[in-house]
Amino acid sequence: MAWPYAATKNDEPFTLGGAIAAATERVGIVVTATTTFEPPFTIARQTLGLDHLSSGRAGLNIVTSAGDETAVNFTREPLPSHAARYAIAEEALEVITGLWDGFGDATSLPARVDGRINEVSEIRTVDHDGPYFRLDGLLGMQRSVQGRPVLFQAGSSEAGARFAARHADVVFSGHRELADARRFRERIIELADAAGRESPPLVLPGLYTIVGRDDDEVERNLNAILDSLVLQVKLGGLKEIGIDFSGLSLDDPLPPLPEGTERHQTGLARYRRIAERLGPVTIRRFLQETALTGYFARSIGTYTQAADLVQQRFEEGAADGFVLFPGGNSFTQMRLFAENVVPILQERGLFRTSYEGTTLRDRLGLARPERSGPASTRTPERTPERQGAVS
Ligand SMILES: Cc1cc2nc3c(=O)[nH]c(=O)nc-3n(C[C@H](O)[C@H](O)[C@H](O)COP(=O)(O)O)c2cc1C
């Protein structure tokens, strides 16, 4: 079986993020970057730039990439092993954080005098010499108004969970069943505690919704979305995760899914769980079950049913909030959710009715991090001309 590609007009996060920053005042803007292929300097620069453009509403979703299909966009080398990708992420993050903290807080900067924007003693370059990155880097930007961009992490294998528990402000996860989601959140809290964190990261699972006023409207909305769904599009995504149906047809029985992968361990584990629950089915049935909602939690029902699911998962310790996929990012479904489900949640005291503070950290209830640098950070010699990269 071959699979078609799906394309959008623009899926480049930083240009979109800049446009969203200009057009909005309140929403947080979280962009994804992969430490496996993108240099830490570029990631640090783009995210801090977006944080300034949005006056402290930016977040960075750190990912490690999962398949050779992604890798070939950057290099003809094979994807590094799962363990190596997390080792690279660990080192990249140390560099990124140091670069974000290179200059002091805006409030501590002296006024621009004689063309100089900072006291040299306040600048810290990232003088880093590690197995994956060697640089002596400095961004030409002050610290962000929220301290640093909010750090999201997506990738929930054991290695991913440990990485998140040590470093992330927010974990973006995905679980179909409540009990699995709760177990995962408890694991993150346990690992964060063991790592000596004062407060654990927030866990925001993906939630797919199709909503309507009553059962008839839900069915109409669901059918409209199903009509536009091409089951085969899912095949490429599954292959990237490590599930390859090449050479099989949709009506063949679902073969046993692999037990392990160097690719996307979270995705494979979640799909194995869904296959286990389905029992013996065809590939078509498996795709019908997953093409729409992936392995995320889902609510296909009335406004009240969606609010009930949110409330239950929150109150039973399975989520601190959600990453919403209304109708797989259908504009109509987003509006229906915002206009009909959110008011129910507000009535139940589960959703804000006014904004706390102005930054994304304020909205998420996260403290502003103190400026700190990695151990390898040093204060440079007095070189007043050194004010960060200008290319
Ligand atoms: C809920 C979730 C969302 C993810 N979102 C993205 C994404 O938007 N872009 C991306 O390149 N990778 C994304 N990933 C992939 C992960 O960063 C990572 O590459 C992959 O999960 C393999 O790591 P793991 O085995 O630790 O899960 C996501 C993973 C999870 C679990």
Side-chain angles (χ1 to χ4, degrees):
M1 254 179 322
W3 48 86
Y5 282 97
T8 55
K9 274 192 181 163
N10 182 358
D11 73 350
E12 196 292 304
F14 287 94
T15 47
L16 283 174
I20 293 169
T24 60
E25 287 174 10
R26 296 191 163 124
V27 293
I29 307 162
V30 183
V31 289
T32 296
T34 171
T35 48
T36 303
F37 299 113
E38 298 173 79
F41 182 86
T42 308
I43 297 176
R45 190 186 204 189
Q46 290 176 322
T47 44
L48 187 54
L50 184 61
D51 212 9
H52 281 298
L53 266 184
S54 62
S55 305
R57 292 185 283 134
L60 164 63
N61 179 34
I62 285 224
V63 301
T64 53
S65 297
D68 292 328
E69 296 74 14
T70 302
V72 290
N73 290 316
F74 297 91
T75 170
R76 288 187 186 275
E77 299 298 316
L79 189 72
S81 71
H82 193 268
R85 298 202 303 273
Y86 275 109
I88 296 169
E90 192 81 37
E91 196 181 321
L93 186 58
E94 186 182 323
V95 173
I96 290 168
T97 312
L99 288 169
W100 282 339
D101 283 352
F103 281 68
D105 285 318
T107 47
S108 71
L109 291 182
R112 187 184 283 265
V113 179
D114 299 335
R116 286 175 55 183
I117 59 164
N118 217 319
E119 287 298 328
V120 170
S121 62
E122 288 194 52
I123 299 173
R124 291 202 294 250
T125 71
V126 176
D127 180 13
H128 181 92
D129 200 348
Y132 297 105
F133 303 107
R134 298 187 64 225
L135 63 138
D136 185 14
L138 177 66
L139 292 176
M141 277 181 262
Q142 296 171 0
R143 246 188 140 214
S144 149
V145 63
Q146 61 172 346
R148 295 182 196 135
V150 178
L151 192 71
F152 283 61
Q153 192 271 356
S156 315
S157 60
E158 186 58 18
R162 285 176 183 278
F163 178 77
R166 277 196 302 274
H167 305 296
D169 296 307
V170 180
V171 183
F172 170 25
S173 63
H175 292 89
R176 181 69 62 86
E177 306 298 330
L178 186 149
D180 295 338
R182 187 172 42 211
R183 248 195 312 277
F184 175 74
R185 183 166 167 274
E186 282 166 0
R187 178 82 183 130
I188 291 287
I189 293 171
E190 185 185 295
L191 287 170
D193 193 46
R197 294 262 306 252
E198 247 171 57
S199 44
L202 302 171
V203 178
L204 306 192
L207 170 59
Y208 186 104
T209 54
I210 294 179
V211 293
R213 189 188 322 273
D214 51 31
D215 290 346
D216 286 347
E217 196 181 299
V218 171
E219 198 176 327
R220 271 199 305 281
N221 293 343
L222 171 63
N223 286 336
I225 290 174
L226 283 176
D227 282 348
S228 66
L229 187 72
V230 183
L231 283 186
Q232 281 86 342
V233 167
K234 183 73 184 169
L235 295 173
L238 287 173
K239 186 168 181 210
E240 169 132 357
I241 275 174
I243 302 171
D244 189 356
F245 294 140
S246 305
L248 300 173
S249 85
L250 289 183
D251 293 313
D252 282 335
L254 181 70
L257 302 187
E259 282 177 15
T261 181
E262 279 296 306
R263 292 175 165 228
H264 197 307
Q265 294 182 0
T266 305
L268 178 62
R270 305 293 182 270
Y271 285 120
R272 278 175 61 87
R273 190 105 170 92
I274 291 172
E276 198 183 291
R277 285 177 166 264
L278 283 173
V281 290
T282 59
I283 291 176
R284 185 187 303 279
R285 175 76 190 90
F286 179 75
L287 292 179
Q288 283 163 347
E289 187 66 19
T290 56
L292 201 57
T293 58
Y295 53 83
F296 288 163
R298 61 184 180 189
S299 177
I300 299 173
T302 60
Y303 305 139
T304 312
Q305 284 170 326
D308 289 347
L309 186 139
V310 166
Q311 178 163 9
Q312 189 192 22
R313 296 227 170 186
F314 176 68
E315 288 180 349
E316 296 197 17
D320 295 297
F322 294 91
V323 177
L324 285 182
F325 293 82
N329 297 339
S330 122
F331 186 70
T332 312
Q333 280 293 321
M334 280 186 208
R335 218 188 52 227
L336 287 178
F337 193 97
E339 291 176 357
N340 300 285
V341 182
V342 169
I344 300 175
L345 294 171
Q346 285 174 323
E347 256 171 49
R348 296 181 188 179
L350 291 166
F351 199 95
R352 67 165 70 80
T353 50
S354 64
Y355 282 102
E356 324 74 351
T358 60
T359 68
L360 182 54
R361 279 185 192 279
D362 293 336
R363 303 281 151 73
L364 294 170
L366 297 168
R368 184 179 194 278
E370 291 299 314
R371 181 188 185 204
S372 67
S376 55
T377 297
R378 67 178 165 83
T379 303
E381 299 300 304
R382 288 193 70 84
T383 49
E385 70 281 4
R386 181 91 201 247
Q387 293 181 354
V390 288
S391 66

